[in-house]
């Protein structure tokens, strides 16, 4: 160090800088310094060297003092540095703390804001939870109510199902009845061809002369030409041309043409079906005394086709035609009177008109009158006459007459008809092949039991099935039992259950 060098120079007697700063000129001797001066200059570090030696500079003390001063300065410098660094550190820490506290303060502010939001959201959530709880309570109540309603609905469903089954059975029975009536309606509508006598037919052959007369406006020729096209007599059949010529004649007042036009409108031959127009043209012809038009007009009123249903008017037109010996009208009038359908019942008058129609050879009238005479219902019982009439009707293909005869031959009629299984089978088969369900079931039973005819359970099942498919309860039951037991046919429990259920739904109970 500097101070050390100075002290070393003094000890060697060389020129040295005085600690006090008084530097002697070159060549000058050092000026004696008193102890006090030394102390004053160098501080407490200068001491006396001893008695007798006088006052001489104490270089050792001076050196020590300078060393202490240097150390002090260095320490001060170090302390200043340390203090600076500490101050810097404190400032840095303070800055960091300030930043941290600022961030922390911002975070606290955000947290407080978030807490505020959370408190609001918590309040909303709490309210929603309360609403949910209320809704849940309400829902539970509604669920309980729904359970009660479901229970009631289940009961109601059973009631409705039972009612529906009952209605279905009634509908099936009504449908069968209406189907039978529909057959009668179709059968009881006069086909115009049947109304034409042989003499008339011969004049309805196409010829150039007939065509020329029709073109000139002759109503009879137009009618004849229209019928020639309708029947295909000496010309290619053409319903459209037939309708055009017949309409021309009808518009000129030809009652036969009016009847034919009404029929074609009703059947949709050569023109679009239009029951209203059919009724109008029938009425035109009926008012001119055309008996078949009167009968057909009565059928339309009876069924409510083309007119509102009016059975009083139906009876009126049937009676008008019946008085003119129109067999179909006599049969229809007898039917209405016998059952009192829309008019007062009068079995005596019904039998009168049935007999009229039967005498004219109308097969259905022969069947109905035969059944009435066999039963003595509405007339005196006459079994022989009844059987005679049934034979006539059966010979003309009336399925019910055939079935009635089958029953008579199967069971026998004391004093009149002996039991004859072969004859019974014959008549049952004739009716069954025409699709009559009662005859199909009866034939099936004979084949199943081998009652006077060869046993054939497989064929029996086939006839039972045909009748069952038409809704006959006894046939459904018999077929179900055969399938259940494997009676002559393969076992089929599932199908058996279906047919037995159908029979039960019709309240069929085996005897």
């Amino acid at each position: 160090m500097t101070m050390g060098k100075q002290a070393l120079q003094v000890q060697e007697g060389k020129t040295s800088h005085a600690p006090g700063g008084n530097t002697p000129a070159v060549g000058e001797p050092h000026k004696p310094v008193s102890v006090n001066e030394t102390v004053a200059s160098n501080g407490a570090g200068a001491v006396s060297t001893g008695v007798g030696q006088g006052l001489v500079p104490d270089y050792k003390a001076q050196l020590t003092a300078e060393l202490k001063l240097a150390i002090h300065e260095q320490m001060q410098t170090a302390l200043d540095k340390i203090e600076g660094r500490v101050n810097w550190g404190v400032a840095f820490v303070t800055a960091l703390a300030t930043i941290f506290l600022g961030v922390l303060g911002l975070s606290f502010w955000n947290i407080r804001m978030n807490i505020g939001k959370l408190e609001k959201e918590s309040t909303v959530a709490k309210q929603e939870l309360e609403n949910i709880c209320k809704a849940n309570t309400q829902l539970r109540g509604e669920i309980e109510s729904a359970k009660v309603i479901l229970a009631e609905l289940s009961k109601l469903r059973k009631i409705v199902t039972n009612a529906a089954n009952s209605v279905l059975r009634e509908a099936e029975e009504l449908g069968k009845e209406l189907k039978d009536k529909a057959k009668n309606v179709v059968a009881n509508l006069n086909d115009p061809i049947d109304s034409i006598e042989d003499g008339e037919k011969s004049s309805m052959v196409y010829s150039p002369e007939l065509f020329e007369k029709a073109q000139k406006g002759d109503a009879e020729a137009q009618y004849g030409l229209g019928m020639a096209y309708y029947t295909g007599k000496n010309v290619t059949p053409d319903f459209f041309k037939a309708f055009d010529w017949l309409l021309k004649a009808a518009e000129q007042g030809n009652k036969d043409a009016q009847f034919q036009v009404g029929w074609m409108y009703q059947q949709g031959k050569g023109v679009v079906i239009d029951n209203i127009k059919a009724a109008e043209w029938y009425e035109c012809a009926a008012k001119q005394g055309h008996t078949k038009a009167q009968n057909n007009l009565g059928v339309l009123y009876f069924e409510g086709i083309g007119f509102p249903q009016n059975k009083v008017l139906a009876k009126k037109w049937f009676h008008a035609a019946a008085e003119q010996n129109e067999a179909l009208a006599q049969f229809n009038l007898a039917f209405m009177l016998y059952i009192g359908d829309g008019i007062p019942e009068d079995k005596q008058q019904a039998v009168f008109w049935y007999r009229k129609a039967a005498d004219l050879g109308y097969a259905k009238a022969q069947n109905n009158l035969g059944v009435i005479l066999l039963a003595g219902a509405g007339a005196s019982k006459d079994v022989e006459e009844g059987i005679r009439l049934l034979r006539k009707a059966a010979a003309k293909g009336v399925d019910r007459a055939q079935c009635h005869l089958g029953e008579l031959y199967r069971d026998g009629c004391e004093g009149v008809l002996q039991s004859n299984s072969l004859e019974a089978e014959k008549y049952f088969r004739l009716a069954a092949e025409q699709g009559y369900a009662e005859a199909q079931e009866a034939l099936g039973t004979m084949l199943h039991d081998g009652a006077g005819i060869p046993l054939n359970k497989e064929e029996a099942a086939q006839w039972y099935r045909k009748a069952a498919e038409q809704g006959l309860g006894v046939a459904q039951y018999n077929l179900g039992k055969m399938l259940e037991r494997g009676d002559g046919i393969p076992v089929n429990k599932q199908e058996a259950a279906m047919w037995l259920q159908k029979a039960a739904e019709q309240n069929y109970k085996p005897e």
Side-chain angles (χ1 to χ4, degrees):
M1 290 184 296
T2 306
M3 288 296 294
K5 289 180 179 180
Q6 291 175 340
L8 185 59
Q9 289 172 353
V10 171
Q11 289 174 341
E12 291 176 352
K14 295 182 180 178
T15 303
S16 174
H17 297 290
N22 296 320
T23 304
V26 179
E28 284 187 9
H30 287 285
K31 179 181 179 179
V33 181
S34 67
V35 174
N36 292 336
E37 288 177 338
T38 302
V39 172
S41 300
N42 296 315
V47 296
S48 172
T49 57
V51 178
Q53 293 181 350
L55 293 173
V56 293
D58 188 349
Y59 292 108
K60 184 177 180 181
Q62 183 179 354
L63 180 61
T64 299
E66 290 179 357
L67 181 60
K68 284 181 180 182
L69 180 59
I71 291 171
H72 176 73
E73 290 175 353
Q74 287 184 2
M75 285 180 67
Q76 188 63 44
T77 302
L79 287 173
D80 290 341
K81 288 181 180 181
I82 290 170
E83 184 179 1
R85 290 178 181 178
V86 168
N87 290 336
W88 180 86
V90 170
F92 179 74
V93 170
T94 300
L96 283 177
T98 302
I99 294 170
F100 175 74
L101 289 174
V103 172
L104 187 62
L106 181 61
S107 298
F108 282 155
W109 183 80
N110 288 333
I111 289 170
R112 289 185 66 185
M113 290 293 292
N114 290 333
I115 288 172
K117 289 181 181 179
L118 287 173
E119 286 176 348
K120 291 180 181 178
E121 291 175 359
S122 176
T123 302
V124 173
K126 184 178 179 181
Q127 186 61 45
E128 290 179 353
L129 183 60
E130 288 176 357
N131 292 337
I132 290 170
C133 290
K134 289 179 182 178
N136 186 42
T137 302
Q138 184 179 357
L139 182 60
R140 286 181 179 177
E142 290 175 355
I143 289 171
E144 293 302 319
S145 299
K147 287 180 180 178
V148 173
I149 292 170
L150 285 173
E152 292 299 320
L153 285 174
S154 179
K155 292 178 183 177
L156 183 60
R157 182 182 178 186
K158 290 179 181 178
I159 294 170
V160 171
T161 300
N162 293 334
N165 288 335
S166 177
V167 171
L168 183 60
R169 286 193 296 271
E170 291 177 4
E172 287 176 351
E173 292 173 3
L174 180 60
K176 186 176 181 296
E177 182 182 347
L178 290 175
K179 186 177 179 182
D180 292 339
K181 283 186 178 181
K183 286 182 180 178
N184 287 334
V185 168
V186 173
N188 296 340
L189 282 172
N190 283 115
D191 187 320
I193 301 303
D194 293 337
S195 71
I196 301 168
E197 300 299 332
D198 290 340
E200 291 179 274
K201 289 182 181 178
S202 64
S203 66
M204 294 179 187
V205 178
Y206 178 86
S207 67
E209 294 78 17
L210 184 65
F211 184 81
E212 185 177 351
K213 284 183 180 180
Q215 280 190 319
K216 290 179 179 179
D218 186 295
E220 286 296 326
Q222 291 170 340
Y223 170 67
L225 183 60
M227 291 306 299
Y229 277 117
Y230 187 89
T231 59
K233 295 289 185 177
N234 204 34
V235 69
T236 302
D238 190 326
F239 287 146
F240 295 100
K241 288 182 179 180
F243 181 82
D244 288 341
W245 285 111
L246 288 166
L247 183 60
K248 291 178 186 295
E251 288 172 343
Q252 293 195 67
N254 184 291
K255 65 181 182 181
D256 294 319
Q258 290 170 342
F259 171 68
Q260 184 68 29
V261 167
W263 172 262
M264 294 182 77
Y265 266 123
Q266 191 173 7
Q267 300 299 315
K269 291 184 176 180
V271 68
V272 176
I273 290 176
D274 189 331
N275 286 318
I276 294 175
K277 288 187 179 296
E280 290 172 353
W281 283 112
Y282 280 149
E283 189 168 27
C284 288
K287 286 179 178 179
Q288 294 193 68
H290 195 290
T291 60
K292 298 187 187 309
Q294 290 170 341
N295 175 74
N296 288 13
L297 185 60
V299 171
L300 295 187
Y301 272 119
F302 183 85
E303 295 295 331
I305 299 172
F307 296 107
Q309 189 178 54
N310 189 326
K311 292 187 177 180
V312 173
L313 285 178
K315 179 194 172 185
K316 169 192 168 182
W317 288 111
F318 286 148
H319 193 272
E323 290 283 359
Q324 299 181 68
N325 285 329
E326 177 58 47
L328 268 176
Q330 291 170 341
F331 173 82
N332 290 335
L333 178 59
F335 175 81
M336 290 187 73
L337 289 166
Y338 193 83
I339 64 174
D341 192 350
I343 59 173
E345 180 184 308
D346 190 337
K347 284 185 166 54
Q348 187 176 356
Q349 276 291 302
V351 170
F352 172 81
W353 289 111
Y354 272 140
R355 196 178 295 279
K356 286 276 190 182
D359 290 343
L360 288 170
Y362 189 65
K364 287 186 176 182
Q366 292 169 338
N367 172 75
N368 288 14
L369 182 58
V371 172
I372 289 170
L373 293 173
L374 281 170
S380 299
K381 189 172 183 177
D382 189 338
V383 175
E384 290 184 358
E385 178 65 10
I387 292 173
R388 186 184 69 82
L389 288 167
L390 287 177
R391 287 185 191 281
K392 283 188 173 184
K396 294 174 182 177
V398 178
D399 54 9
R400 293 190 180 194
Q402 294 165 342
C403 188
H404 289 318
L405 282 174
E407 292 169 350
L408 288 170
Y409 275 113
R410 180 192 61 196
D411 303 331
C413 188
E414 187 176 353
V416 180
L417 198 66
Q418 291 184 347
S419 176
N420 187 326
S421 297
L422 293 177
E423 284 294 301
E425 180 197 7
K426 180 185 81 172
Y427 282 110
F428 280 142
R429 193 175 291 277
L430 285 171
E433 287 173 350
Q434 292 191 72
Y436 191 56
E438 283 78 359
Q440 292 170 338
E441 187 278 326
L443 178 59
T445 298
M446 289 189 74
L447 291 165
H448 178 271
D449 298 341
I453 61 173
L455 185 73
N456 190 335
K457 292 188 176 183
E458 186 176 353
E459 187 182 356
Q462 292 172 3
W463 287 115
Y464 280 150
R465 185 179 295 279
K466 288 179 183 293
E469 288 172 349
Q470 293 189 66
L472 190 63
V474 61
Q476 293 170 339
Y477 178 83
N478 290 342
L479 178 59
K481 282 298 181 182
M482 288 187 75
L483 289 164
E484 183 180 62
R485 298 167 182 165
D487 186 9
I489 55 175
V491 173
N492 189 329
K493 299 285 187 183
Q494 185 175 359
E495 188 181 0
M498 179 194 75
W499 287 117
L500 291 173
Q501 177 64 28
K502 285 182 176 291
E505 287 172 357
Q506 296 195 61
N507 292 323
Y508 174 76
K509 296 179 181 179
E511 298 177 357

